Amino acid sequence: PKCEESMTQKKYNLPMMFVLLSLIEGLAIYINMIAHPDRQPALTIVIVILFAIVSGFGVWYATRVRGILIS
């Protein structure tokens, strides 16, 4: 039974997810700095806070609701 469980559940690599999310956040901040250079650092702070909330909710949803294993 344990083999069947591990075959059906997907495992995700936590460091790789962290790197990809950080790159996406960095790109969003970079585009924000180009688009609105006069509104810094307020918009950067908003982007970081929103990204942290969305990432946390996404991890909660993946682990608790969908049952995805993160290794």
Side-chain angles (χ1 to χ4, degrees):
K2 280 192 173 183
C3 290
E4 290 174 13
E5 274 184 30
S6 63
M7 294 288 281
T8 56
Q9 286 185 335
K10 292 182 179 177
K11 277 195 173 182
Y12 289 90
N13 194 355
L14 187 60
M16 186 60 85
M17 284 176 52
F18 182 75
V19 168
L20 289 175
L21 289 175
S22 298
L23 288 175
I24 293 170
E25 183 178 12
L27 182 64
I29 290 171
Y30 181 71
I31 292 171
N32 174 39
M33 286 182 172
I34 292 173
H36 304 286
D38 53 334
R39 295 187 183 168
Q40 302 303 325
L43 286 177
T44 303
I45 293 169
V46 170
I47 287 175
V48 169
I49 291 172
L50 285 176
F51 207 82
I53 291 170
V54 169
S55 298
F57 182 73
V59 169
W60 171 82
Y61 180 79
T63 55
R64 302 288 181 199
V65 178
R66 296 191 60 207
I68 294 173
L69 298 176
I70 297 177
S71 60

